[in-house]
Amino acid sequence: MGEERQGGTRCEIAAKAGMIIERVVLNSRPGKNGVPVAENFRLEQSTIPDTVQEGQVRVRTLYLSVDPYMRCRMNEDTGSDYLLPWQLSEVADGGGIGVVEESKNNNFAKGDYVTSFNWPWQTVAILDGSLLQKLVPQLVNGCLSYFLGAAGITGLTALLGIREKGHVTVGANQTMVVSGAAGACGSLAGQIGRLEGCSRVVGIAGTDEKCSILVSEMGFDAAINYKKENVAEQLRKLCPGGVDVYFDNVGGDISDTVISQMNQNSHIILCGQISQYNKDVPYPPPLPPDIEKIQKERNITRERFLVLNYMDKQEASVLQLCQWIQEGKLKVRETVIKGLANIGAAFQSMMNGGNIGKQIVSVSK
């Protein structure tokens, strides 16, 4: 930004020498205890070089992912050793998919579809080929954006979370409860729980529409609207044998209620704590003393789960997810907002539960 204040010449030269693009930067931080708003992000014009260097590719952005974990990246300190904070007036980044327009990397050719965890929020970018993975659209029936969700890090989180921390056993008559059940991860987790062997799956979500979709489309046995219903009462009714596996996307009061109805030697899959993300608390947040007492007395496991620790299982797991998608066993919902300019609004909406399934921003066709 400093170049503009020093006079227009350098900017004018840059504009002539490079390609003009649009990008989204972090405009302001909401504060550790603040609620993020669209205005925390800013759309601006910038330039990228005309020439692609050896090993690089120029890509046009097709889809960007907005996810709850990004709330931590809006703070100066993310509270995590694996997440870097976004810098003010610098381009934001996250999961993205694009198409190669020019390549000086032997692994990629013009027209290839590629993805990265650290895709800049801009219309066109020059990226190092080593950061990219090539995508095979046929694996997801041509629905490329699924590689950001059901066939990407979100699906991996659900599948590997259940396999590594859920201890689901076919024929063991286990009941699974999923909170944040209509979100990107929760909507997959309930279905995967069933595919992996759970006999009963109950979701918790925040609107009647979400609860209806979970039961009619996603194959959940039942769903509880926590904003309207008494969750403890409904759980007793819908899970008469108690809860064996809890896929926790939210934390807070809802999780305390579920934990109090969990069985001896049951398991919590600690995926996310979105109810706590706007508060300055450690991750995972400590349980209240009475709930912690229940957890210890009943020997309920509650270990932090980080999908990045299981990347040796990524390839086989993605293939399993793609197979389920192709077979129609894994139903995928997305909430798609069009236009890079609307990514801040998409993020704000997702943090407030405005999405069903994965929140995606479609940048260009």
Side-chain angles (χ1 to χ4, degrees):
M1 302 303 286
E3 287 188 354
E4 290 177 1
R5 289 194 292 271
Q6 292 162 14
T9 51
R10 285 165 68 188
C11 269
E12 285 162 13
I13 292 163
K16 284 173 191 163
M19 176 188 289
I20 296 174
I21 58 141
E22 286 188 325
R23 65 178 196 166
V24 170
V25 302
L26 185 66
N27 188 45
S28 57
R29 299 189 191 278
K32 279 202 167 184
N33 299 301
V35 176
V37 291
E39 291 73 26
N40 292 133
F41 300 97
R42 181 176 79 243
L43 181 75
E44 62 180 32
Q45 279 199 341
S46 185
T47 57
I48 59 169
D50 275 334
T51 52
V52 176
Q53 303 298 318
E54 204 56 46
Q56 294 181 329
V57 295
R58 189 178 78 238
V59 289
R60 181 164 47 87
T61 305
L62 300 176
Y63 300 104
L64 294 169
S65 171
V66 289
D67 304 283
Y69 80 86
M70 291 173 171
R71 174 63 188 83
C72 308
R73 299 193 68 189
M74 297 179 82
N75 298 334
E76 278 185 79
D77 176 7
T78 64
S80 153
D81 48 11
Y82 67 92
L83 284 180
L84 291 171
W86 285 328
Q87 299 301 321
L88 287 169
S89 294
E90 296 285 337
V91 69
D93 68 314
I97 287 171
V99 61
V100 175
E101 292 192 322
E102 185 184 347
S103 175
K104 287 196 177 168
N105 185 299
N106 294 335
N107 296 321
F108 303 102
K110 186 177 177 180
D112 283 348
Y113 293 106
V114 290
T115 187
S116 170
F117 289 136
N118 300 109
W119 196 285
W121 287 7
Q122 56 193 60
T123 48
V124 180
I126 293 175
L127 301 175
D128 193 320
S130 62
L131 302 173
L132 299 172
Q133 284 177 292
K134 197 184 292 190
L135 298 174
V136 182
Q138 293 87 334
L139 287 175
V140 287
N141 300 329
C143 301
L144 269 178
S145 55
Y146 286 10
F147 284 115
L148 292 177
I153 199 80
T154 317
L156 285 172
T157 299
L159 177 57
L160 290 170
I162 289 166
R163 285 186 173 173
E164 299 297 327
K165 302 290 184 186
H167 304 275
V168 174
T169 311
V170 176
N173 203 27
Q174 289 163 302
T175 294
M176 174 189 271
V177 170
V178 183
S179 58
C185 202
S187 59
L188 300 171
Q191 297 179 76
I192 292 169
R194 164 86 80 217
L195 289 165
E196 290 287 286
C198 286
S199 58
R200 187 162 183 75
V201 179
V202 175
I204 302 173
T207 69
D208 288 344
E209 183 195 10
K210 288 177 178 180
C211 290
S212 166
I213 286 168
L214 289 174
V215 175
S216 64
E217 285 184 28
M218 307 286 187
F220 284 63
D221 294 284
I224 301 166
N225 181 345
Y226 73 88
K227 290 185 180 171
K228 275 190 180 177
E229 300 175 278
N230 181 313
V231 177
E233 219 172 80
Q234 288 298 312
L235 279 174
R236 278 192 289 276
K237 193 171 93 182
L238 297 170
C239 309
V243 178
D244 302 296
V245 184
Y246 173 39
F247 199 101
D248 184 5
N249 285 303
V250 302
D253 294 344
I254 289 174
S255 289
D256 298 344
T257 304
V258 176
I259 292 167
S260 65
Q261 295 193 37
M262 292 186 74
N263 293 326
Q264 194 73 27
N265 302 320
S266 55
H267 305 283
I268 298 168
I269 302 160
L270 199 58
C271 175
Q273 305 279 282
I274 196 168
S275 73
Q276 309 296 304
Y277 282 173
N278 294 329
K279 301 174 188 173
D280 187 12
V281 293
Y283 185 84
L287 296 170
D290 55 328
I291 304 298
E292 190 177 17
K293 187 166 179 275
I294 290 170
Q295 184 210 345
K296 286 185 171 155
E297 283 173 356
R298 297 186 195 165
N299 192 34
I300 302 169
T301 61
R302 181 182 185 255
E303 299 163 350
R304 182 174 180 175
F305 171 73
L306 183 58
V307 71
L308 300 176
N309 292 340
Y310 299 92
M311 283 330 227
D312 57 316
K313 300 183 177 176
Q314 177 187 5
E315 199 173 337
S317 301
V318 167
L319 289 174
Q320 173 64 85
L321 292 162
C322 289
Q323 187 184 331
W324 282 335
I325 291 167
Q326 287 175 336
E327 292 170 352
K329 291 179 180 174
L330 195 58
K331 304 285 193 303
V332 184
R333 282 289 292 240
E334 295 179 319
T335 299
V336 181
I337 288 186
K338 289 185 176 169
L340 183 63
N342 297 317
I343 199 164
F347 182 78
Q348 181 180 347
S349 170
M350 179 268 307
M351 288 298 291
N352 292 325
N355 58 304
I356 296 176
K358 181 78 176 178
Q359 180 75 64
I360 296 281
V361 174
S362 164
V363 179
S364 68
K365 284 287 170 229

